[in-house]
Amino acid sequence: MPDICADLVAAVGRRDGAAFDAAEAALPRAVRRADGAEMTRAVAVLRPAIEEFGVGSGGELARLAGGLLEVGADPGAVIGVLALHGAEALEAAVLLPPLWKGRGGVGRPDPQRLPEVLERCGPENRHVVEAWFAADEWVRALLVPLQRREVRAALPHRERLLAAAQAAAEVVEGASFLPGLLRVLDDETVVVLHRADGRAFEVTIGGIGDNFQLHTLLAHALIGGGLLPGTPPEPRWVAAATDGDPEPRGGIQGQFNLVDAFGEWIWNEGAPADIPLLGGRRVIVVDPPPYPRGWNAGRVYPLMAPLARVDRPLGAAEAAEWMGRIAPDAYAR
């Protein structure tokens, strides 16, 4: 694999598309035979070239490096340059649509008409044009690898990449999915309170993309685990929230209403990172659902392994202390 990656680098350097395609076609078979150490050595071959070629020509190599991270390469060798140049690509790409329109361009700039786009936008904006056409490669380089916990843990430049992805969400394909991944909580201990009977639990969560998924996993852990009363979620709903078909037949039904420590509803459309802190902990109050609530998809990131583990029930005194600190449901009648 390192030799194939060296061929890819050489092909990009001399702009030889046919040689690049031939080397890329050889990668899948090599990946099937390789272990993690060999894939990590291959990524190390790509890294300096990605840095040297930069946002434009480096995009194809970045995508391939991201693919190797997806299947087990150590992220430490390359995730820094992917995050930094990925942010740079998105920051520059968002500048092209207004520039293109301001100079008389119509519609979206067409990659098949690169000379025309460069001429209209001017040589001083070449980096913006190159970033626009390469931005989707940088998004693809990050989107799947960031569904691995190890890659998220190793990620530098998170805040810059998050800001760039949010700004590019409407104009760069796939960029709208990056902010959710960049805000995923891993190994976060939350306090879950059952208002009706005052019971409380410490629960460790991780790899959860939105509160729809959180809702199902909490119901599975607490009701399905026999810790709270109620009807546990059906197995196909749990599978949809973990590693099965993300859109189960008939959809998914909610068992709770999730409320934060300040009495505000925790909307399923949000993410665990949106839940506010109380005393350094995110607090989730589980109340009965005020009305039937259902949704279609169990998870938004199909390759991300989620975690919702009940670590311990809190003792009566500790639970009562937490219960005394929370506000009532702001919308209760």
Side-chain angles (χ1 to χ4, degrees):
M1 283 189 64
D3 291 341
I4 294 173
C5 287
D7 291 340
L8 289 163
V9 169
V12 171
R14 63 178 185 267
R15 299 183 181 275
D16 187 338
F20 183 91
D21 291 344
E24 185 176 15
L27 266 181
R29 177 182 292 182
V31 166
R32 288 194 293 270
R33 295 197 304 260
D35 58 14
E38 184 175 357
M39 287 188 281
T40 298
R41 291 195 297 274
V43 163
V45 172
L46 295 175
R47 185 197 181 284
I50 294 170
E51 192 151 28
E52 177 186 351
F53 295 146
V55 165
S57 299
E60 290 181 307
L61 297 177
R63 170 178 53 81
L64 295 174
L68 294 177
L69 295 188
E70 175 190 347
V71 293
D74 187 329
V78 76
I79 191 61
V81 71
L82 294 183
L84 180 59
H85 283 348
E88 291 172 349
L90 293 171
E91 289 164 351
V94 297
L95 302 177
L96 186 62
L99 174 65
W100 173 250
K101 184 177 180 180
R103 298 199 176 182
V106 177
R108 289 174 66 88
D110 185 348
Q112 302 302 317
R113 301 168 67 182
L114 179 58
E116 177 190 332
V117 177
L118 285 169
E119 181 179 0
R120 185 179 294 275
C121 292
E124 71 278 10
N125 292 306
R126 184 180 185 91
H127 71 291
V128 173
V129 175
E130 290 181 343
W132 170 262
F133 291 130
D136 67 316
E137 300 274 20
W138 291 97
V139 169
R140 291 166 65 192
L142 292 161
L143 197 56
V144 174
L146 283 172
Q147 295 182 55
R148 284 182 58 204
R149 181 183 177 280
E150 307 93 296
V151 177
R152 295 193 299 276
L155 183 71
H157 313 298
R158 185 182 300 267
E159 292 305 317
R160 181 176 178 182
L161 183 58
L162 174 59
Q166 289 171 330
E170 298 300 320
V171 294
V172 174
E173 185 176 357
S176 62
F177 290 100
L178 277 177
L181 280 172
L182 295 168
R183 299 183 68 235
V184 165
L185 303 177
D186 284 306
D187 297 322
E188 175 107 355
T189 300
V190 301
V191 176
V192 180
L193 305 177
H194 188 241
R195 199 190 311 263
D197 63 10
R199 279 185 279 180
F201 307 89
E202 279 189 347
V203 178
T204 296
I205 63 172
I208 296 174
D210 61 20
N211 292 334
F212 289 108
Q213 185 181 19
L214 174 67
H215 190 137
T216 301
L217 293 176
L218 285 179
H220 176 57
L222 294 169
I223 301 176
L227 299 171
L228 289 180
T231 302
E234 295 186 12
R236 69 177 186 274
W237 303 349
V238 178
T242 52
D243 58 3
D245 181 355
E247 296 191 11
R249 181 176 50 83
I252 300 167
Q253 298 298 312
Q255 285 77 37
F256 297 133
N257 192 45
L258 304 182
V259 181
D260 69 27
F262 304 96
E264 298 295 327
W265 286 9
I266 298 171
W267 296 101
N268 283 339
E269 292 79 3
D274 298 323
I275 301 170
L277 297 169
L278 176 67
R281 288 284 181 90
R282 301 181 203 276
V283 176
I284 302 170
V285 182
V286 294
D287 285 336
Y291 50 82
R293 184 180 292 161
W295 51 91
N296 294 324
R299 63 191 189 279
V300 67
Y301 300 108
L303 301 179
M304 186 161 62
L307 171 69
R309 182 188 67 230
V310 179
D311 295 323
R312 67 182 182 101
L314 302 188
E318 194 175 2
E321 181 182 356
W322 278 107
M323 290 295 298
R325 299 172 68 185
I326 63 170
D329 181 343
Y331 304 97
R333 296 182 179 178

